[in-house]
Amino acid sequence: MDDKRPSNGKCKGPLVFQQQEGELVLHSEGSSSPVTGHRELAIQASKLGTPYLLSFVGMAEVFGWDPRTPIVANCDRSRVLSTWASFCGGLIPSEYQINFATVRHLTPRQFVHKLSNDLAVSGVVAGENYRFGYKAAGDATELMRLCNEYGIQARIINCVMDQYQNPVISDSGNLKDRGQVSSTRVRAALAKGDITYVSKLLGRPHRLIMRPNEGEMFHISGSSSKFSLSVPKSCALNLLPKEGLYDKCSLLYADEKSEACQVLIDSENLYLQLDGSSVYNFESLHLLGIDFGD
């Protein structure tokens, strides 16, 4: 993952704490949908200054977790964050990443000291279930107390609850799951192929980003009235939905040009069915996006 730190190594703004490693469960659409967790945190942080989303990288290596495909492709994160500007007083949140191995042994006090002295943080915003410090010794109440001691503004936000709970997906057996919107829920919904539920959780269509690996390319077949674009699943930069047929999708390419399409996912490939009106040379593409809508 690329280093997202500011060039001077300091934030000089409010930090938004994310619970997962670099996961963006980003809500970017209109006010008629529920505001999901991270965007609500960023909205509150923007009242204190330009918000920075803090995430810890390298947690999987430290704890021996299996690598996980991201929900949002790394190259697509800035686009999603930019959609928050209208909710954050015109401010686009930036990202700030810390190598987890360098801070994992810090006590809660030492961690807040680092925020104040090393990063020049002006404020922090976290969810009510946030834990920090070695062995997660600190909770939201401790964070508030220490920030007050160090002269850092702090706000604790209630969890944003899932108003569209799918009982099959929601009953995950996760003891930390109290019905709040989370990346775990989004992953489960994608694994079930429930695109309607995914869109409600995210507040936007799930965008899949595809990039050919070395020696691979996108293939076109079919007639002039209807053709199919074939893409190996190995080209995906973020999480795929379950194998199956998906209607009402959009193919995005060449500076956000869009084509309505139908997507079929099998064990090895994605097949995008498009009409023959498009004359673009899709085989020459090095990157494309697919919005899974409903």
Side-chain angles (χ1 to χ4, degrees):
M1 186 177 294
D2 295 336
D3 188 356
K4 309 283 187 182
R5 295 188 181 191
S7 58
N8 62 0
K10 295 181 182 293
C11 289
K12 294 186 177 180
L15 278 181
V16 173
F17 289 144
Q18 302 180 86
Q19 197 75 333
Q20 295 90 7
E21 179 181 358
E23 289 278 51
L24 288 184
V25 185
L26 306 182
H27 179 111
S28 60
E29 298 300 316
S31 58
S32 61
S33 299
V35 178
T36 57
H38 292 160
R39 196 193 74 175
E40 178 61 24
L41 293 172
I43 290 172
Q44 296 301 320
S46 68
K47 299 174 182 178
L48 306 176
T50 301
Y52 290 85
L53 271 68
L54 173 67
S55 58
F56 300 104
V57 296
M59 292 180 71
E61 290 80 1
V62 170
F63 292 118
W65 297 339
D66 292 332
R68 294 201 305 179
T69 305
I71 294 171
V72 178
N74 288 340
C75 62
D76 197 37
R77 292 167 73 94
S78 59
R79 176 193 67 85
V80 179
L81 286 174
S82 69
T83 65
W84 290 6
S86 60
F87 302 96
C88 295
L91 301 173
I92 299 176
S94 298
E95 293 195 76
Y96 195 97
Q97 296 179 345
I98 293 179
N99 187 326
F100 180 69
T102 66
V103 298
R104 69 168 302 200
H105 292 296
L106 297 182
T107 65
R109 176 177 293 278
Q110 289 170 334
F111 181 68
V112 174
H113 178 85
K114 181 179 180 65
L115 297 182
S116 175
N117 285 33
D118 296 353
L119 305 184
V121 169
S122 64
V124 300
V125 179
E128 60 183 331
N129 60 345
Y130 187 73
R131 308 289 306 193
F132 71 107
Y134 185 55
K135 294 186 177 180
D139 59 11
T141 301
E142 179 79 349
L143 180 64
M144 287 283 291
R145 185 184 68 79
L146 288 170
C147 285
N148 182 63
E149 190 175 318
Y150 278 86
I152 299 173
Q153 297 183 75
R155 295 184 180 181
I156 303 301
I157 307 301
N158 292 335
C159 292
V160 176
M161 307 308 287
D162 177 7
Q163 300 179 21
Y164 305 98
Q165 293 192 39
N166 180 322
V168 176
I169 294 171
S170 300
D171 187 16
S172 63
N174 184 350
L175 296 178
K176 295 181 180 179
D177 188 345
R178 297 186 290 111
Q180 69 271 28
V181 173
S182 67
S183 62
T184 300
R185 241 163 232 253
V186 176
R187 287 177 176 277
L190 285 169
K192 293 284 186 180
D194 191 341
I195 292 301
T196 299
Y197 188 39
V198 170
S199 297
K200 288 176 178 177
L201 288 172
L202 296 177
R204 68 176 194 281
H206 175 61
R207 179 169 295 185
L208 178 66
I209 303 296
M210 310 289 286
R211 175 185 292 151
N213 297 308
E214 185 175 353
E216 293 179 323
M217 62 182 298
F218 305 143
H219 297 282
I220 295 177
S221 61
S223 65
S224 58
S225 61
K226 202 85 173 177
F227 66 91
S228 175
L229 179 63
S230 174
V231 184
K233 289 172 69 173
S234 58
C235 296
L237 301 184
N238 57 315
L239 203 57
L240 287 151
K242 177 185 177 181
E243 294 175 14
L245 182 65
Y246 298 92
D247 296 314
K248 300 180 182 178
C249 297
S250 298
L251 171 65
L252 298 107
Y253 61 97
D255 298 324
E256 297 292 307
K257 291 182 180 178
S258 178
E259 296 280 347
C261 65
Q262 184 182 68
V263 178
L264 173 65
I265 304 176
D266 67 14
S267 60
E268 295 184 354
N269 296 291
L270 279 78
Y271 302 94
L272 287 75
Q273 300 291 331
L274 300 101
D275 64 38
S277 62
S278 176
V279 294
Y280 194 83
N281 181 16
F282 289 104
E283 289 181 322
S284 68
L285 285 174
H286 298 291
L287 193 74
L288 61 80
I290 304 166
D291 277 354
F292 289 82
D294 185 78

